[in-house]
Amino acid sequence: QKEVEQDPGPLSVPEGAIVSLNCTYSNSAFQYFMWYRQYSRKGPELLMYTYSSGNKEDGRFTAQVDKSSKYISLFIRDSQPSDSATYLCAMSRGTDKLIFGTGTRLQVFP
Amino acid sequence: DTGVSQNPRHKITKRGQNVTFRCDPISEHNRLYWYRQTLGQGPEFLTYFQNEAQLEKSRLLSDRFSAERPKGSFSTLEIQRTEQGDSAMYLCASSLLQAHTQYFGPGTRLTVL
């Protein structure tokens, strides 16, 4: 079993929809949680960073962490075609290596 | 802040050849990480440096792989006697010493024929 599980999709939604992306994890030592966006053949771009349980909002993006359920989410409001990309969740115990999910491919159609 | 840069962006090589990739981190970032990403998968950790010291190596990093960061600035990743299974995107990331967030470069895409 992988430490971090993420549905690979693809997820296809119409423009303007609310998108929900999720990851589950098994290692309770994870304390830091990140979401990266990756366009095709590009490097991952950091979108959101949260520490421990709770919510964090940045513009159209909201990250949620539920450590009791070992479950993290990323919500995208008013989705745009430019949001079409692969979204990777990542987590770490501290300032060391990141453990990634497989990524969810999102397609937002006009 | 020019971001993390990697060279070359693409490398095509024949099986058995040696290849070397370079990563230039964000200036003043003490930590530098190497990851490998194959199609449809998330990045997998290979190794990381704090300044010039290599602090951790993954079991994925076979004897054919070696990484260096001689002056605590740029880093190189060398793969000797490449195999077709080495075909992947090799990603470099950097961070400040006490930071939990890592910033990635554009990657080097390796194709082994």
Side-chain angles (χ1 to χ4, degrees):
Chain A
Q1 184 185 2
K2 290 186 175 182
E3 283 189 283
V4 180
E5 299 279 356
Q6 184 175 11
D7 187 334
L11 182 61
S12 186
V13 301
E15 184 176 356
I18 297 174
V19 175
S20 172
L21 304 165
N22 311 293
C23 288
T24 58
Y25 62 95
S26 57
N27 189 343
S28 57
F30 289 139
Q31 298 286 337
Y32 304 92
F33 304 91
M34 281 138 276
W35 286 94
Y36 286 84
R37 178 174 61 194
Q38 187 174 28
Y39 292 111
S40 181
R41 298 182 176 269
K42 303 289 186 184
E45 171 196 8
L46 181 65
L47 274 180
M48 299 287 286
Y49 157 68
T50 52
Y51 165 65
S52 200
S53 287
N55 292 2
K56 183 175 183 179
E57 188 174 319
D58 184 1
R60 296 185 297 112
F61 298 92
T62 299
Q64 282 187 353
V65 174
D66 182 349
K67 290 192 70 183
S68 63
S69 301
K70 296 189 180 67
Y71 188 88
I72 69 170
S73 301
L74 178 70
F75 297 96
I76 307 174
R77 290 183 297 280
D78 187 26
S79 56
Q80 302 296 309
S82 57
D83 294 328
S84 298
T86 295
Y87 289 79
L88 297 155
C89 64
M91 45 200 80
S92 70
R93 297 169 300 179
T95 56
D96 59 347
K97 61 181 180 274
L98 296 177
I99 307 299
F100 283 85
T102 54
T104 299
R105 190 157 57 92
L106 172 67
Q107 179 72 38
V108 181
F109 56 89
Chain B
D1 182 351
T2 57
V4 178
S5 62
Q6 293 186 246
N7 288 288
R9 295 293 309 279
H10 301 95
K11 179 71 177 178
I12 300 174
T13 191
K14 293 183 179 179
R15 189 175 51 190
Q17 297 295 303
N18 299 343
V19 294
T20 300
F21 310 139
R22 175 176 169 131
C23 171
D24 287 86
I26 296 171
S27 59
E28 299 180 355
H29 276 196
N30 310 89
R31 291 198 169 186
L32 186 149
Y33 306 79
W34 286 98
Y35 293 83
R36 180 171 68 188
Q37 185 177 27
T38 54
L39 199 62
Q41 300 298 316
E44 291 179 295
F45 169 77
L46 293 177
T47 188
Y48 86 96
F49 294 84
Q50 180 171 305
N51 298 315
E52 65 273 12
Q54 189 172 18
L55 295 188
E56 186 176 351
K57 293 168 57 173
S58 164
R59 289 171 298 169
L60 293 176
L61 213 64
S62 76
D63 292 345
R64 297 185 297 106
F65 288 69
S66 63
E68 294 183 341
R69 194 182 183 199
K71 296 183 179 179
S73 56
F74 72 92
S75 175
T76 58
L77 178 68
E78 181 183 16
I79 309 174
Q80 296 182 328
R81 304 181 304 281
T82 52
E83 301 172 358
Q84 288 186 323
D86 297 331
S87 296
M89 172 83 93
Y90 289 84
L91 293 162
C92 176
S94 71
S95 72
L96 290 168
L97 187 60
Q98 297 300 325
H100 303 101
T101 51
Q102 298 177 21
Y103 297 90
F104 282 81
T108 294
R109 182 169 296 279
L110 173 66
T111 301
V112 181
L113 303 176

